[in-house]
Amino acid sequence: MTDTHTDSAGPPASPRALARRRRRESAARFWAQYRRQRAGVTGLILLSAIVLLALCAPLLADGSALSVTQATGGRMDPPSAGYPLGTDETGRSVLALTIWGSRLSLVIGLTATVMAVLIGTVLGLTSGHFGGWYAWIALRLSDWFMVLPGLVVAIALLAVLGRSVATTITVIALVSWAGTTRLVRAQTLSVQARPYLERARALGAGHWHQMTRHILPNVMPLVLASATLLVPTAILTESALAWLGLGDPNVVSWGSILNRAWSSGAVSARAWWYLLPPGLAILLVVSAFMMVGRALEAVLNPRLRGGGR
Amino acid sequence: MSIDRRPAPAPVETAAPGTVAGALSARGLHVGYGLPGGRTARAVDGVDLDIAPGEIVALAGESGCGKTTLARALLGLERPTAGTVTHNGSPLRYKTKALKAFRRKVQLVLQDPTGALNPRHTVYDAVAEGPRIHRCGGDERERVARALSQAGLRPAEKYFLAYPHELSGGQRQRVVIAGALALEPEIIVADEPVASLDASVRGEILALLLRLRDEAGLGALVVTHDLGLAWSIADRIAVMYLGRIVEQGPADQVLTDPRHPYTRALVSVLPNSPVPEPIVLEGETPDATLIPGGCRFHLRCQELASGAAARAGVDGACRGSELPVLRADTADRAVACHLHASGSE
Amino acid sequence: QDDDTDRLMIAYDQELDTFNPFKQQFVISYNLSLLAYDTLIRTDAESFAPSPGLATEWEESDDGLTWTFTIREGAEWSDGEPLTAEDVEYTYDLLIENEDIRDWNIDFAGNLVDAEAPDDTTFVLTLEEPAPNDILYGGTYIVPEHIWSGFDDPADPTANDALPIVGSGPFQTVEYQINEFIRLEANPGYWDGAPGFDEIVYVVYSEPDAAVAALEAGEVDIVSKLNPAQAEALENADHVTVNNAQNRRFTSLNINHRAATADGDGFGDGHPALRDQAVRTALHTAIDKEALVDRVLDGSGDPGVGIMPEIFTDYHWDGGGDLVEFDIAEANGILDEAGYEKGPDGIRTMPDGGEKLTFRLYHHADNTDYATVVSFLTEWWEELGLEIEPEPIEMGTLNDKAYLGEYDIVFSGWGVGPNPSEIMGMYTCAVLPTKTDGTERSHENYFCDEEYDRLQAEQKLVADAAERRPMVERQQEILYDHAGTIWLYYQNNIEAYNSDKVANLTPQPADGGMITGQQGFLWAYHSATPVEGSEGSGATAASDNPTATILIAAAAAVVIGAGAFLIARRRRATADERE
Amino acid sequence: MTLLALDDLHVTYRGGRGDVPAVRGVDLTLAKGRTLGIAGESGCGKSTLALALLRLLPKSADVAGRILLNGEDVLTMGWGRLRAVRWADASIVFQGAMHSLNAVHRVGRQIAEPILLHGDTTEREAAEKAEELLGRVGLPAWRARSYPHELSGGQRQRVMIAMALACDPDLIIADEATTALDVMVQAQILGLLSELVTERGAGLVMISHDLSVLSAHCDEVAVMYAGRVVEQGPAGAVFSEPLHPYTGALGDSFPAIGDPAARLRPSGLPGDPPDPADLPGGCAFHPRCPAAEDRCRSEGPALLDLGDSRRSACLVTQSRRSAARAAEETA
Amino acid sequence: MTDETTAPGPRREGPGADGEADAGSEIPKATTGFGRYLLKHVSGALVSLLLVLFSSFFIFRLIGGDPVDQLTGERPVTPEQREAMRAELGLDQPLALQFTDYITGTLTGDLGTSFQYRQPVSELILDHLPATLLLSGTGLALAVTLGLWIGSRAGWKRGSRYDRAHTTTGLLLYSAPTFWLGMIVILVFARYLGLFPVNGMRSAETPPDALSQAVDVAHHLVLPVLTYTAVVYAGYLMVMRSSVLDEAGSDYLTTARAKGLRDDEVRRRHAVPNALLPTVTLIFLAMGNIVNGAIVTESVFSWPGLGRLFVQGIFYPDLPVLQSLFVLFSASTILAVLCAEILYWFIDPRVRKQ
Ligand SMILES: Nc1ncnc2c1ncn2[C@@H]1O[C@H](COP(=O)(O)OP(=O)(O)OP(=O)(O)O)[C@@H](O)[C@H]1O
Ligand SMILES: Nc1ncnc2c1ncn2[C@@H]1O[C@H](COP(=O)(O)OP(=O)(O)OP(=O)(O)O)[C@@H](O)[C@H]1O
Ligand SMILES: [Mg+2]
Ligand SMILES: [Mg+2]
């Protein structure tokens, strides 16, 4: 334990400004630790590349690449100079489709996760903090959602709600919030049992103060790590749903590309160029998120961190 | 603030508690925990206790006897099942606002300073938390600095932006104490304040408590299972067994001349103890859900086992008749033991 | 079964609903019945013309109400019992007297008055009204009285579940494994000659790709409903012959021209612009059906014109050279002229400048072809200054919306039989709903036209195709001009079979016809014969002998496992010494 | 006879953020039938020392010096020999009985495990032996079938002791075996331990931070500070008449009841315990030392014999002693 | 080290209470504790089951669409036929009545008749169950064995080459969409190499004797199981690995080493049993994933199991089948979790503490 506070002594600046600096410093420390996770850094680089690709999609392949009436390629042509990854069954470039598909896959994965995490955090935090019948109901509900087979529920709900990007997002969020609730609740309970909450109560702190000043900041890092690990699940779920034919066929996501490939006989036609890119893209994004998530967890969850005894 | 101006309710207790201004008192306090299966753990089972400003009271006893529960009940963190806590003579009310006001005056210091500090808050935040909650106004910085230097962290500015993990255990405990002092309380309840600290550091913290008592007139209830500690700082000591105080009085008298068999046993096993032969207690661990009838200590009592009680003719009473709650307002010493039937002297 | 059994393995993807031929709806059940039973008259393989089945001859009375059939002698049930006119009478009596069966088959049975078998070879049927086409194409499966009279309730869908099925047709079902396969055995004593194969096995392949792979591997002999990519892949296999056959079904767009009840009360929420024939014609003009056939179907199909697909040469209407031609500019012109001006955002509005021309386009969510078509349509129509909102919907919900009138444009499609009056009846005023709750579903897209109805009544009574044809053509023309329904294309049925193993598959119709999905009788399967010495050929070596593969794999696994174990042991020896 | 001899033992933890010299040159000896107490506050290297004795330190720890157990150097033994020595020659009772017992095995099995491993016995005999051992530590035989969580802290600690006795080792190391326990239980366990040791003539190393406890139960006490032994000597003498300021402070932290000097006068050392990764130069104790002189800042004191079988590593004491001795001699 | 934000730091144990001679009087009364524990979990499971039962009925009613349309496909239907079919399917009854019929039916084992197959759903389920059990059973057994075995070794030797190789492989496989992996597997092993059949569970051509049938089924089983295992085992690997990692620094392992056990004995006898405990629940908790995996794998390989029945039912929509399978799937996960909790009582002595 080094006395880092000593070097910040200097002329007394306002505590707030200094606090900001401390925060910056701890961010830097976090980054220094994160940087030591080799897989995490790889994942981060991969992820940034993919996000960049998704953002630049209009530059790399203009929107007309998705137009069926303007498509010039042949039906499931193998890779060629004009079409580095071949074409799909309507003559569009698989490369362009895959690049454009990244946008929707990422958007669905991220939005669904944000929704799920939001629901999960609010429910978990409040139920953990307040207890009582409210917590009982929240807990039962999340337990219930937790044990239900996610894909089954998602399929059923999608069949009911109809297919669109919005419903897909909602459905994925609905089947994945429960884990976060449990996590947040467990973490809330454990923070709740820490002496510093007792101290805060003894200082006269109210519920709001306890939740926002003490519990939430201590729960957030774990939520962040778990959210990072939720994104891959969401992306995989989306692709599975789309592949099963439960997505919106009018939009281009990796899952829907694979669905089209499957139903238009790409496997029979041995059109590997049609099957590989979207699948590999999913694999890359998912493993990138997993790597980042696991690295975050390793940094933020000291249980996994320490070597030795 | 407001609490001082609120008209005091009519006195309810016969032995008017808290005659000293700012005193914190418990009267007939019972705290029970409902356990699964309908059992109740009577963690505190009838306690009378006074803590006045400028006085350090030690509460000793073995593990699980209800010390922490009593301390928490005194702070209003636990609602008693019976009995009252009074502050300044007025019974504590468990409304959010009333509790908040009360907690400006009575503060808590916990055993484990590492746990008691939020790892994400700087020292400044931790100390300023109380004043912020109570919207104390004034110069917050100034207040924090004062509290820190009072607690012996000087220069205070040096510590403002340290995180708890950058401090040593003793420093952390000082921060916790500073956090309590920032509200300028009258009484501090410290639950095992040095139990988790290194031996050589303990003395410093204890010395701080003594100094605060002398300089600021602070009152303190120090919960401990270490009788040596009580010897070093307490004016008075209360020994607790299974939810009750079984002996209390001036610390030096009680420790050098323990009267209750339980206190004697506790003192006897210490190195260089004034009790010549170590007394190792027999019998089951006390269990707050199963408090024996009669004297609650009789199952393990060495006096009863050795026949001394029978010789004194009180063995029947030991097994069969319950002892009254030790009154807090009795003069010097009080012992809840049939062998000392007079109860006090 | 010993292994010299010649089996014809057919891939199918649908489940069976029932073995009760009076209650079935599924194509596979229909096929099984066609194989198991005979009808009095069957449609021939040449051109769907009525031809003798169990009845060698038939005669219509002058008033068209009495039909006399001569029943074939020597026909037998598969259990060896003779088949007589008694059985025929029993069968028709079921239709007439069993209320449940009658209701189920009301279109046909409702017109029957009496069935009589004066002797073993004569059968007389009395009708309430003349309906020659119903009789000629009606196809009632003659069931064995000696079996069926033992059923508690012949109308029960499970009544006929005991296997093997007793019938008089070329193949009877003997084994059924749900979701796996259906096995039929040949009836060697079939009156029309013993089938060439000993067995037919329908094998479930719910994924077409799997069926394709199986055909390539020689595990299955006939595969249908292929998509172009699969066909292309199969064409490369030497032992496979691909048959790109015309099909009986059409794909169309139903435009909500005005959902209304029989009383003329409009309902639903269709876009008002679509009530304007000009708008519908503009939409029609902006569809390049050739392109759809080329690009979506890869040429395996024909542009749609009218109800009757090209396969029914007798009744198909080709438009007589007067068809709408794809022309975006012209379509724009039509809209301009009709007063639908473009707003500032480039979207046309109603002539009063109010509502924008925003059309919901509903399509079946599970059909990827439709999704592709939708992309085309959307792109074309957006060039007209229309706003298109495509939405994939589950079939059930889609139908609900269609019958509630809550749509603008919706996909539709029907399989068509050789007798045109059946499908064309759905466009008559008589079947319009009387309520607006969407429960009456006999109509197709709320069409109602006086002239059309008159022609329908007339052509129904004409048995002669040449005489009937102009009327049917005129009906189709009326529908075409109205443009409430736009026929997009007739999609081919691409089939493929293992030509190393199967020969003599008679197509229906003779010219460019199909092997699977035949009507009136399964000519192809009856005539199919195993190719000499085919047993075991065509299949790849490995899948031919799964045991060998497994053994090899197992051996490899053992070797690898043992190796890994040894390596692990050696490693452990050193690991012992460390911590 | 010398059972255990440590010769200039060094342990350094190599880590990402620099090396931590946890033990910095310790020489100690222990004879059979004797009890050695090691005192010192948290982080001074007591547990590291204990673990080093059986080479149980994690890979990240570098050990140098010699550890002679019955004359054999533990540090240069082959792994096979080491495994044979472990528990059969020397066993350890760890501080946290809660975590040192495997929660999923019954305690009887855990006690029997080393017996089976080192002895030539059947499972049955081992189980009987385990029950007998439980009896020795005052637990009924049926407790062998209990799981650790079914026992109280003191009972678990006794199971650990029974386990340590399982192979009749020559050396028993008790690393803070009573720290977490109530005074009453602590007294019982300490009594039990010393009784067993004297009875068997084994050597006992008792580690604690409570100097007063050690002085009451040990023959000899070594006080550690920052990885070094700073004072060593007969238990009573070390406690009553410390020769190192740190020992004094440590002793004062546990005031004797009835001692008016300690009444309302808690004493402690100013400053914080040292960070072994960042030790001050000179005498490691000098920043907190009330008697520190200038030379303490630069000069690292050695542990010198000061007579009466006492040793101390304080320059001030050393010079005072030698001055006294010189005075004595001149006198 | 920076701030310990999350899991509670090592909390110093309060002085443990202790009694003296607790002579053989009472043996810990586990039974009453178990009763209460069981009751608590069983009642929780029952509540969940009831919720599932209720919701399954209503969820699928919301799908909309007249099942008759789907039943009749693209063939014209007369109103009479429509009525008859609705009556036959029980759709003509008021919803409340349908609901009570459904509840009483389900509770008495009568799951109704499939719209699609016109068969009692219970029979359908019994027909399809063996296939699902075979596929997911084999796959699961393989995945669990492989995952736990590799995971425990990887965790024990954290950071070693073995660990890195296996975690990377596991991570990649875990990240691959099941269906895609299945498609690629088909492409490679069936399309290019022609080694395995790609569809179904057996060939109709296979002679009916038991051995040939078994070999045939095994042959069909290879690819689906490969796919299934590949995706699922990685999860177990990760869980086991981190579980072993959690245990790795524990004091009881130091004790075990101090006793003179060999390194792999320490791992096998002490670390793995402890690490397995949290894993066991996770295996059961992962029942949901098993169902998910079954659905997708069965769909890719046309495996005639319940998952595929369900997916096909959705497109139908075959309400009775959907309802029943939804209840079945959910019930099996709920029961699996219940089993895990009960099992946990027996295998982890620590649970019995309360
Ligand atoms: N929240 C609770 N629920 C149920 N029982 C409790 C609870 N808190 C304490 N108890 C019980 O009340 C009794 C007294 O507990 P308490 O924590 O007050 O003891 P203590 O004297 O502080 O012990 P220690 O010295 O171990 O801190 C014990 O038997 C304990 O088991
Ligand atoms: N595995 C390790 N890696 C790095 N440093 C370690 C490791 N184990 C211990 N240390 C450091 O070595 C020093 C000595 O630790 P040790 O556990 O021996 O102290 P101790 O005297 O037993 O303390 P306590 O009384 O708290 O048990 C401490 O500073 C500690 O932080
Ligand atoms: Mg306590
Ligand atoms: Mg230690």
Side-chain angles (χ1 to χ4, degrees), chain E residues 131-141 225 228 290 294 298 303:
Chain E
T132 295
L133 288 182
L134 181 65
L135 172 58
S136 19
T138 321
L140 194 65
V225 163
Y228 184 88
I290 294 168
E298 287 179 9
W303 190 260

Side-chain angles (χ1 to χ4, degrees), chain C residues 129-360:
Chain C
E129 285 169 10
N133 288 306
D134 283 358
I135 301 297
L136 292 175
Y137 294 100
T140 299
Y141 306 106
I142 307 301
V143 298
E145 181 177 10
H146 66 281
I147 301 287
W148 281 67
S149 52
F151 294 166
D152 289 341
D153 175 14
D156 186 336
T158 62
N160 196 27
D161 276 357
L163 298 182
I165 298 286
V166 176
S168 62
F171 288 94
Q172 278 77 31
T173 305
V174 295
E175 188 184 357
Y176 173 37
Q177 292 289 339
I178 291 187
N179 255 335
E180 289 192 68
F181 59 85
I182 308 168
R183 197 161 61 80
L184 299 88
E185 266 175 21
N187 178 1
Y190 186 51
W191 58 263
D192 201 10
F197 275 88
D198 304 329
E199 282 186 0
I200 287 179
V201 180
Y202 281 97
V203 189
V204 178
Y205 286 91
S206 57
E207 294 302 337
D209 270 334
V212 169
L215 178 60
E216 277 195 330
E219 284 172 15
V220 73
D221 302 322
I222 300 179
V223 174
S224 58
K225 294 198 207 164
L226 296 173
N227 62 34
Q230 292 159 338
E232 209 171 299
L234 284 172
E235 264 158 12
N236 297 326
D238 286 340
H239 65 284
V240 175
T241 301
V242 174
N243 182 33
N244 197 334
Q246 289 186 333
N247 201 355
R248 308 184 288 108
R249 67 184 301 283
F250 64 73
T251 299
S252 60
L253 290 178
N254 281 341
I255 299 174
N256 192 345
H257 56 88
R258 183 164 180 265
T261 62
D263 299 335
D265 300 332
F267 61 96
D269 61 2
H271 197 285
L274 294 173
R275 298 194 190 140
D276 185 346
Q277 182 163 354
V279 175
R280 301 200 298 268
T281 308
L283 289 173
H284 198 170
T285 313
I287 299 174
D288 187 350
K289 296 178 186 173
E290 299 280 351
L292 291 183
V293 170
D294 272 2
R295 301 284 300 283
V296 182
L297 307 181
D298 197 28
S300 301
D302 297 292
V305 190
I307 296 177
M308 297 306 285
E310 290 199 2
I311 195 172
F312 299 115
T313 41
D314 283 348
Y315 301 112
H316 173 71
W317 176 63
D318 63 6
D322 195 23
L323 292 180
V324 169
E325 295 247 353
F326 172 65
D327 190 338
I328 297 276
E330 188 186 324
N332 266 315
I334 297 173
L335 289 174
D336 288 340
E337 204 167 307
Y340 299 91
E341 310 267 309
K342 281 190 187 168
D345 53 357
I347 310 288
R348 292 183 192 271
T349 57
M350 292 298 284
D352 59 11
E355 205 176 333
K356 279 199 232 172
L357 297 198
T358 302
F359 301 143
R360 294 159 296 171

Side-chain angles (χ1 to χ4, degrees), chain C residues 405-475:
Chain C
E406 291 168 358
Y407 65 101
D408 292 324
I409 303 166
V410 63
F411 274 69
S412 182
W414 291 93
V416 179
N419 176 13
S421 43
E422 202 181 334
I423 182 97
M424 299 189 84
M426 300 200 319
Y427 297 83
T428 58
C429 306
V431 294
L432 281 181
T434 55
K435 292 176 285 186
T436 59
D437 60 1
T439 52
E440 295 156 293
R441 299 187 166 186
S442 298
H443 66 92
E444 172 77 352
N445 203 27
Y446 310 93
F447 186 78
C448 174
D449 181 85
E450 223 172 287
E451 186 192 353
Y452 181 94
D453 276 13
R454 210 177 55 243
L455 287 164
Q456 174 75 6
E458 219 172 303
Q459 55 99 341
K460 254 170 77 173
L461 297 180
V462 181
D464 181 55
E467 196 183 325
R468 196 176 176 194
R469 180 183 177 106
M471 296 183 261
V472 175
E473 284 193 333
R474 174 60 194 146
Q475 280 182 295

Side-chain angles (χ1 to χ4, degrees), chain C residues 1 3 7 9 13 15-18 23-26 30 100 103-107 157-158 176-181 183 201 203-207 209-210 212-214 216 218-219 233 249 366 370 394-397 399-400 403 413-415 422-423 426 439 441-442 501 535 540 542-543 546-547 549-550 571-572 575-576 578-579, chain E residues 63-66 69-82 84-85 88 115-119 124 127-128 149 153 157 162 186 190-191 193-208 215-216 218-220 222 257 261-264 267-268 299-302 304-305 308-309 312 314-317:
Chain C
Q1 312 133 350
D3 260 309
R7 278 191 203 94
M9 315 282 290
D13 65 349
E15 274 310 323
L16 177 71
D17 49 358
T18 164
K23 296 296 276 269
Q24 57 201 190
Q25 284 288 349
F26 287 13
Y30 175 73
D100 198 343
D103 278 350
W104 188 265
N105 300 282
I106 193 74
D107 271 2
T158 62
Y176 173 37
Q177 292 289 339
I178 291 187
N179 255 335
E180 289 192 68
F181 59 85
R183 197 161 61 80
V201 180
V203 189
V204 178
Y205 286 91
S206 57
E207 294 302 337
D209 270 334
V212 169
E216 277 195 330
E219 284 172 15
R249 67 184 301 283
D366 52 342
Y370 287 0
E394 235 61 62
M395 165 144 170
T397 319
N399 283 350
D400 285 351
Y403 290 110
W414 291 93
E422 202 181 334
I423 182 97
M426 300 200 319
T439 52
R441 299 187 166 186
S442 298
K501 195 175 157 195
E535 203 54 42
T540 59
S543 62
T547 325
T549 318
I550 297 248
R571 283 267 221 74
R572 173 168 309 160
D576 265 359
R578 291 190 308 251
E579 286 195 347
Chain E
I63 291 182
D66 188 342
D69 285 335
Q70 189 56 265
L71 286 176
T72 54
E74 300 182 342
R75 290 157 63 92
V77 224
T78 61
E80 288 79 6
Q81 279 181 342
R82 187 172 286 281
M85 290 180 74
E88 197 184 294
F115 292 174
Q116 196 180 359
Y117 303 95
R118 306 299 177 85
Q119 278 211 341
L124 267 180
D127 273 353
H128 287 70
W149 194 57
R153 310 187 118 237
K157 294 253 176 280
Y162 181 91
I186 292 178
R191 298 297 296 156
L193 301 178
L195 285 179
F196 295 98
V198 298
N199 179 74
M201 185 166 77
R202 50 186 154 171
S203 312
E205 277 178 301
T206 313
V215 169
D216 184 42
H219 193 212
H220 281 78
V222 173
R257 265 190 213 108
L261 291 169
R262 277 207 316 268
D263 187 52
D264 63 322
R267 176 173 59 88
R268 279 207 317 271
S299 296
V300 188
F301 291 96
S302 308
R308 185 153 146 273
L309 194 64
Q312 286 180 333
I314 281 286
F315 292 106
Y316 208 78

Side-chain angles (χ1 to χ4, degrees), chain B residues 63 119-120 165 225 283-285, chain E residues 1 3-5 15 17-20:
Chain B
S63 176
R120 325 197 131 254
H165 67 86
H225 62 263
E284 278 295 319
T285 323
Chain E
M1 244 179 223
D3 49 350
E4 315 290 10
T5 52
D18 187 34
E20 181 60 349

Side-chain angles (χ1 to χ4, degrees), chain C residues 487-515:
Chain C
W487 280 270
L488 291 176
Y489 51 72
Y490 315 117
Q491 182 168 8
N492 283 3
N493 179 15
I494 313 182
E495 319 161 310
Y497 60 93
N498 185 340
S499 44
D500 278 2
K501 195 175 157 195
V502 195
N504 295 322
L505 289 159
T506 310
Q508 181 193 45
D511 186 21
M514 355 175 220
I515 297 163

Side-chain angles (χ1 to χ4, degrees), chain B residues 33 35 41 43 62-69 192 288, chain E residues 15:
Chain B
Y33 293 108
L35 296 176
E62 72 189 318
S63 176
C65 69
K67 305 184 296 288
T68 300
T69 311
E192 315 248 13

Side-chain angles (χ1 to χ4, degrees), chain C residues 97-118:
Chain C
E97 286 159 13
N98 185 309
E99 228 171 278
D100 198 343
I101 294 184
R102 183 187 174 87
D103 278 350
W104 188 265
N105 300 282
I106 193 74
D107 271 2
F108 174 69
N111 196 25
L112 303 181
V113 176
D114 187 42
E116 207 67 55

